[in-house]
Coordinates of all heavy atoms in Angstrom, one line a residue:
L179 N 75.4 91.4 134.1 CA 76.5 90.6 134.8 C 75.9 90.0 136.1 O 75.4 90.7 136.9 CB 77.6 91.6 135.2 CG 78.5 92.1 134.0 CD1 79.5 93.0 134.4 CD2 79.1 90.9 133.3
C191 N 73.3 97.7 131.6 CA 73.3 98.8 130.6 C 72.2 98.4 129.6 O 72.0 97.3 129.3 CB 74.6 98.9 129.9 SG 75.9 99.9 130.8
L207 N 98.9 120.1 117.9 CA 100.1 119.5 118.3 C 100.7 120.2 119.5 O 101.0 121.4 119.5 CB 101.1 119.5 117.1 CG 102.5 119.0 117.4 CD1 102.5 117.5 117.7 CD2 103.4 119.3 116.2
F320 N 90.7 79.9 121.4 CA 92.0 80.5 121.7 C 93.1 80.1 120.7 O 94.3 80.2 120.9 CB 92.5 80.0 123.1 CG 91.6 80.7 124.2 CD1 90.5 80.1 124.6 CD2 92.0 81.9 124.8 CE1 89.7 80.7 125.6 CE2 91.3 82.5 125.8 CZ 90.1 81.9 126.2
T401 N 93.3 108.0 112.3 CA 92.9 108.1 113.7 C 91.4 108.6 113.8 O 91.0 109.5 113.2 CB 93.8 109.0 114.5 OG1 95.1 108.5 114.4 CG2 93.4 109.2 115.9
E410 N 74.5 109.1 132.0 CA 73.9 108.9 133.2 C 74.3 107.5 133.8 O 74.2 106.5 133.2 CB 72.4 108.9 133.1 CG 71.8 110.2 132.6 CD 72.0 111.3 133.6 OE1 72.1 111.0 134.8 OE2 72.0 112.5 133.2
L452 N 106.1 109.0 111.4 CA 106.1 110.3 112.1 C 106.6 110.1 113.5 O 106.5 109.0 114.1 CB 104.7 110.9 112.1 CG 104.0 111.1 110.8 CD1 102.5 111.5 111.0 CD2 104.7 112.2 110.0

Side-chain angles (χ1 to χ4, degrees):
L179 289 178
C191 278
L207 176 64
F320 288 89
T401 297
E410 297 294 336
L452 299 173

